[in-house]
């Protein structure tokens, strides 16, 4: 674990040695009263003479070009070429939302089509270095698919514990990578199963398996820092006013914030962005409004289409990132999500998972409230591909007509109109 000094609690600040057993409870001191995740600390954090810098290696074709800021070397990494995803100017959606300087960080271009690959490449690399033979996660889809792919690449076995109702395409993706899938009727049983197998069988669990959740394994969260590094690099050293992303337990949110802080502390940027969490049931919004340090359970008032972020209780790590960035949490319902997904695909060419269009709903809400201004630059993080949940997003009753002749197809074109080349007359 090159450069790793140990771990520190994000709430109380207590330092722990690098050989601490990570058991998903987070800080052992805080767990009983106010649970909080740990973060990786490096030698530089305790001994400033040990140099580390966000200096990308142009020759490296993955996020491991930032290996100096990660827990292991590039030569030790299990990689599929993750990261370096495009940052696209979204002029049409920007105009539609009233934010002309809207950019999309398209994480669907990662190897397994989601941002989880940034986590998995680091987590699986560290698991292999620590002698693990089995990696495991509790997942509704993306995390499981990603972990399965990287485990396959590393020659490790993978187990994904999930629940009935998970998007079928993602379950198929997980199985195709050779992982063992364990669906449970009672989703609450996922965690005790993981906890038991971690303790008795020595599995390396990357996801939470204790309640209340504090977040995923700290070493994997380090991978999300590269989102910030890439955004600033792609904006030629500029910093967006806002970064908006879907949030469940806040792993990516916390990692993104740490990445921006790395850049700021090293003098690479002169200010920090504000963060926005698009959530479902409102636990972060409630905690921010109450100025509480505890994120409480919220009732699930509806069945969300954005299953990947459907938790009723987020985490302190997400709350901390929002509060430190003067950020905002925006609850997003089902209304308009599928239409927004289709508008994004039809205008910007990006087919996003339903979860991944919640940032655009949040931006629209904040723009209506004049919290985000027309002149602000905004980066929306699309975390996954819409191919992941077509079984949920395809509109009920939508059927593609099949034509039996050229004339029948031409009649359909005439009735829909607008399909001739610019400046040409339509001849029927």
């Amino acid at each position: 674990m090159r450069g790793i000094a140990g771990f520190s609690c994000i709430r109380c600040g207590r330092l722990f040695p690098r050989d601490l057993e990570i058991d998903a409870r987070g800080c052992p001191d805080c767990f009983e009263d106010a649970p909080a995740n740990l973060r990786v600390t490096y030698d530089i954090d305790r001994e400033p003479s040990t140099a580390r810098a966000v200096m990308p290696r142009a020759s490296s074709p993955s996020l491991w070009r930032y290996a100096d800021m990660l827990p292991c070397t590039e030569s030790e990494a299990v990689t599929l070429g993750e990261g370096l995803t495009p940052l696209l100017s979204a002029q049409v959606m920007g105009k539609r939302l009233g934010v002309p300087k809207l950019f999309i960080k398209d994480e669907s271009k990662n190897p397994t089509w989601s941002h989880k690959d940034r986590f998995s490449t680091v987590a699986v690399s560290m698991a292999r270095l620590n002698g693990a033979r089995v990696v495991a996660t509790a997942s509704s889809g993306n995390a499981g698919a990603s972990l399965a792919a990287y485990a396959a690449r590393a020659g490790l076995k993978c187990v994904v514990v999930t629940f009935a109702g998970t998007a079928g395409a993602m379950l198929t993706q997980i199985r195709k990578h050779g992982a063992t899938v364990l669906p449970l009727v009672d989703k609450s049983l996922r965690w005790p199963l993981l906890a038991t197998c971690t303790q008795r069988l020595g599995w390396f669990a990357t996801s939470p398996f204790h309640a209340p959740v504090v977040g995923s394994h700290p070493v994997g969260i380090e991978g999300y820092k590269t989102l910030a590094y890439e955004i600033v690099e792609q904006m030629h050293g500029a910093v967006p006013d806002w970064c908006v992303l879907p949030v469940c337990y806040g792993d990516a949110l916390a990692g993104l914030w740490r990445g921006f802080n790395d850049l700021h502390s090293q003098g690479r940027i002169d200010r920090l962005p504000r963060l926005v969490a698009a959530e479902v049931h409102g636990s972060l919004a409630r905690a921010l409004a109450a100025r509480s340090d505890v994120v409480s359970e919220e009732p699930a008032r509806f069945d969300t289409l954005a299953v990947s972020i459907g938790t009723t209780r987020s985490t302190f790590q997400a709350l901390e990132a929002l509060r430190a960035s003067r950020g905002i949490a925006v609850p997003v319902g089902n209304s308009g999500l599928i239409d927004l997904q289709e508008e994004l695909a039809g205008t910007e060419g990006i087919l996003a998972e339903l979860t991944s269009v919640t940032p655009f709903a949040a931006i629209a809400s904040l723009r209506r409230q004049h919290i985000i201004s027309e002149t602000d630059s905004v980066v929306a993080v699309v975390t996954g591909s819409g191919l992941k949940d077509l079984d949920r997003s395809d509109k009920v009753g939508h059927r593609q007509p099949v034509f039996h002749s050229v004339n029948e197809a031409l009649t359909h074109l005439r009735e829909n109109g607008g399909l001739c080349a610019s400046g040409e007359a339509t001849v029927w």
Side-chain angles (χ1 to χ4, degrees), residues 201-270:
L201 305 179
W203 290 1
F204 187 102
T206 60
S207 70
F209 53 86
H210 280 294
V213 172
V214 297
S216 297
H217 201 295
V219 297
I221 292 175
E222 291 293 283
Y224 289 128
K225 298 190 304 185
T226 61
L227 269 170
Y229 305 159
E230 288 180 21
I231 289 170
V232 170
E233 186 178 350
Q234 290 167 325
M235 295 184 72
H236 308 290
V239 181
D241 295 303
W242 301 86
C243 283
V244 189
L245 61 164
V247 171
C248 182
Y249 296 130
D251 294 334
L253 189 77
L256 177 74
W257 182 238
R258 290 173 206 172
F260 280 120
N261 276 279
D262 285 343
L263 293 164
H264 190 256
S265 66
Q266 294 180 17
R268 301 303 179 93
I269 56 177
D270 59 6

Side-chain angles (χ1 to χ4, degrees), residues 139 159-166 171 175 180-187 189-190 193:
S139 171
V159 179
V160 178
V161 185
T162 187
F163 54 89
T166 298
L171 285 181
R175 291 191 180 102
T180 298
V181 179
L182 300 176
L184 296 171
V185 173
D186 182 352
K187 64 185 296 184
L189 296 178
R190 296 177 301 159
L193 176 61

Side-chain angles (χ1 to χ4, degrees), residues 101-177:
K101 290 190 284 187
L102 175 67
F103 299 87
I104 296 173
K105 182 64 169 165
D106 187 4
E107 289 292 280
S108 72
K109 298 301 188 288
N110 277 303
T112 73
W113 319 324
S114 90
H115 71 306
K116 297 289 187 180
D117 292 347
R118 294 183 187 269
F119 177 95
S120 294
T121 185
V122 179
V124 172
S125 296
M126 296 303 293
R128 187 172 69 172
L129 283 172
N130 281 281
R133 300 180 63 186
V134 179
V135 292
T137 185
S139 171
S140 60
N142 281 326
S146 180
L147 191 68
Y150 283 83
R153 182 74 168 173
L156 304 179
K157 294 184 181 300
C158 179
V159 179
V160 178
V161 185
T162 187
F163 54 89
T166 298
M170 284 191 268
L171 285 181
T172 300
Q173 186 182 11
I174 293 167
R175 291 191 180 102
K176 293 289 186 183
H177 285 304

Side-chain angles (χ1 to χ4, degrees), residues 291-304:
R291 298 183 179 180
S292 172
D293 278 343
V294 177
V295 182
S296 300
E297 195 87 24
E298 292 293 321
R301 297 182 178 88
F302 64 99
D303 292 328
T304 180

